[in-house]
Amino acid sequence: MSSERNPSDGAANPATPDEGDTPFKSASISSSSTEGKSTSKRVLILYTGGTMGMRPSSDGSLAPSAGYLTERIQEMSELQSPEMPAYTIKEYDPLIDSSMMGPSHWVAIATDIEENYLDYDGFVVIMGTDTMAYASSALSFMLENLGKTVVFTGSQIPFYEVYNDARRNLIVSIIFAGNSDFPEVCVVFNDKVLRANRSCKVNSSSLDAFDSPNFPPLATLGTSIHENSDLSLRQPRGALRVHKQLDANVLVIKLVPGFSDESVHALVNHSKNLHAIVLELYGTGNGPSKKVGLLEAISTARAKGIVVVAVSQCLRGGVSLSTYSMGKDFKDAGVVSGGDMTTEACTTKLAYLFGRLGDPERVAQTFSENIRGEITDGNDRSKRKYLDRGDGPSKASKILRFKL
């Protein structure tokens, strides 16, 4: 298979729900008034579920409550400020936990952005935090030639609680989506705006739940919002193209000392639909390469057309398979380097590439290329300076002047 699949709507065979998935069936829509606004900016808010809009259920546990978050948003006096964008809320039915979301839900979100693209200046997706890095990374690949800002956000504490992080996360997300010049998918959480396909959830209980280990924040929050505008992706030259064909037959294997080669062999030999394996290796891409069984399993996988990609178990840094002899053994066996990509970006990029290209060899050849800012290109000196210098405002930072 060497020809590229239909990139625009992939709609001939969009991602279908897996067994156990709860697909979105319908949605309710509410809009704010533009009366009295000093700005003509408009933002579409897509609410899929998650902690932000939860309330205690009869047994005391937190659960989604249809209509509740929409009501709370409409009551927020901050959003009535003349300088705030007007907004429309689309609340999906049913509201679901992010752990239940998958490719079919990502396609639904991408489709709503596509269908409303010309009517809004930016988009905010509210969802649960557990798989937000996966969903936002997937959207970053699916939305080709994106010329507007798409923000993913949520909260660790629901609006229901007096003390919460929901209010600020939502306000900043609307501000950023409506006023930013970043033509890409972002994650807004706590005091940072992160490139989506560089982000990962690093803390299950802190309000500072997300980080971007190998790339600086696109913006930081203090008394003002400081945008690092020279980190932005370039404005596209073509029209938006939405790729809805995703192939999520991807498996992640985290190596641990003393693991059994037989397990990997069994996965490779008996799986009928597996298309890619992501190996989380030690350090810069090391592993027990002298274990003949593991290399044989990798060779068998490659012979069956299964792409094998290596990423690092370390939070920061990445894979360089040429640094040590052990890594080189994996490279010689056909393992593709994931560089400094997150596991979330790696898996969703594979799903996107297989859905678009189909052919395993083309996917393997294309995988290490930087297509949406998801991997550090050694030739990109401007990005390298940031990695060497660390976080903080850049010389080209721009201030969005809003009171937080």
Side-chain angles (χ1 to χ4, degrees):
M1 228 187 309
S2 59
S3 62
E4 181 177 311
R5 297 180 181 179
N6 189 331
S8 179
D9 61 13
N13 291 294
T16 54
D18 293 329
E19 184 178 354
D21 271 3
T22 304
F24 296 131
K25 298 176 182 178
S26 60
S28 60
I29 300 175
S30 303
S31 297
S32 69
S33 173
T34 57
E35 184 178 349
K37 295 287 186 180
S38 60
T39 175
S40 61
K41 300 289 187 180
R42 301 181 69 218
V43 171
L44 176 62
I45 302 172
L46 302 174
Y47 173 41
T48 70
T51 299
M52 185 178 282
M54 288 184 175
R55 288 195 293 186
S57 59
S58 57
D59 63 2
S61 62
L62 290 173
S65 178
Y68 174 69
L69 182 60
T70 297
E71 292 177 5
R72 294 302 302 265
I73 291 175
Q74 291 174 333
E75 294 169 354
M76 292 175 63
S77 59
E78 298 94 331
L79 300 186
Q80 308 309 314
S81 171
E83 59 187 0
M84 287 294 290
Y87 64 86
T88 298
I89 308 169
K90 182 171 184 177
E91 181 175 309
Y92 292 102
D93 180 27
L95 298 172
I96 60 174
D97 189 272
S98 73
S99 62
M100 298 294 291
M101 290 179 68
S104 62
H105 303 99
W106 305 340
V107 168
I109 295 169
T111 299
D112 272 328
I113 292 173
E114 176 186 32
E115 293 177 350
N116 293 279
Y117 189 71
L118 298 179
D119 297 326
Y120 293 89
D121 299 284
F123 302 85
V124 174
V125 181
I126 301 172
M127 65 173 290
T129 60
D130 286 345
T131 65
M132 185 184 295
Y134 289 95
S136 59
S137 292
L139 265 289
S140 76
F141 298 118
M142 296 167 69
L143 302 176
E144 182 182 3
N145 291 333
L146 178 63
K148 300 180 180 182
T149 305
V150 175
V151 172
F152 277 72
T153 194
S155 68
Q156 295 284 69
I157 308 173
F159 253 110
Y160 169 81
E161 300 287 352
V162 175
Y163 169 72
N164 66 72
D165 60 331
R167 182 178 291 269
R168 187 177 76 157
N169 284 353
L170 178 60
I171 292 171
V172 174
S173 295
I174 295 173
I175 290 174
F176 200 76
N179 296 277
S180 171
D181 296 325
F182 283 79
E184 56 183 288
V185 184
C186 312
V187 169
V188 169
F189 220 87
N190 197 38
D191 62 350
K192 295 188 289 287
V193 179
L194 309 174
R195 175 167 294 163
N197 56 38
R198 291 292 197 148
S199 70
C200 56
K201 187 174 181 181
V202 296
N203 198 311
S204 64
S205 57
S206 170
L207 301 187
D208 193 18
F210 284 82
D211 196 8
S212 175
N214 289 314
F215 198 78
L218 298 177
T220 54
L221 278 62
T223 54
S224 300
I225 302 176
H226 288 265
E227 288 186 324
N228 289 324
S229 53
D230 50 348
L231 289 178
S232 173
L233 296 178
R234 295 176 181 174
Q235 282 288 344
R237 297 181 178 178
L240 176 71
R241 305 167 74 192
V242 181
H243 303 277
K244 302 175 188 177
Q245 180 69 31
L246 298 174
D247 188 334
N249 290 302
V250 179
L251 181 70
V252 179
I253 300 177
K254 184 172 185 175
L255 295 190
V256 296
F259 74 96
S260 171
D261 297 343
E262 293 182 5
S263 301
V264 183
H265 270 289
L267 289 168
V268 171
N269 291 324
H270 298 294
S271 177
K272 297 179 181 179
N273 299 315
L274 185 61
H275 289 159
I277 296 174
V278 178
L279 288 177
E280 290 192 349
L281 300 177
Y282 312 126
T284 58
N286 297 321
S289 60
K290 302 308 177 185
K291 294 184 73 171
V292 177
L294 177 59
L295 291 181
E296 287 179 348
I298 292 173
S299 297
T300 301
R302 296 298 294 119
K304 291 182 66 175
I306 299 172
V307 175
V308 183
V309 176
V311 295
S312 177
Q313 294 184 14
C314 298
L315 184 62
R316 301 186 187 279
V319 163
S320 176
L321 296 178
S322 300
T323 301
Y324 296 100
S325 60
M326 290 171 287
K328 190 173 184 302
D329 290 338
F330 286 117
K331 183 178 181 180
D332 292 342
V335 176
V336 179
S337 173
D340 62 354
M341 269 190 283
T342 63
T343 297
E344 294 89 338
C346 188
T347 53
T348 52
K349 184 176 183 179
L350 285 166
Y352 160 76
L353 289 175
F354 269 106
R356 184 169 179 180
L357 305 177
D359 178 32
E361 292 308 313
R362 290 190 66 194
V363 172
Q365 293 168 6
T366 307
F367 183 78
S368 296
E369 295 179 10
N370 181 15
I371 58 176
R372 301 283 193 274
E374 74 282 358
I375 186 171
T376 301
D377 183 348
N379 296 321
D380 194 334
R381 296 180 180 179
S382 65
K383 304 296 188 294
R384 278 290 178 186
K385 286 192 298 182
Y386 285 91
L387 294 177
D388 293 339
R389 189 198 68 231
D391 296 350
S394 68
K395 292 181 179 179
S397 66
K398 182 177 71 174
I399 299 176
L400 289 180
R401 297 194 179 279
F402 279 87
K403 295 180 180 179
L404 303 182

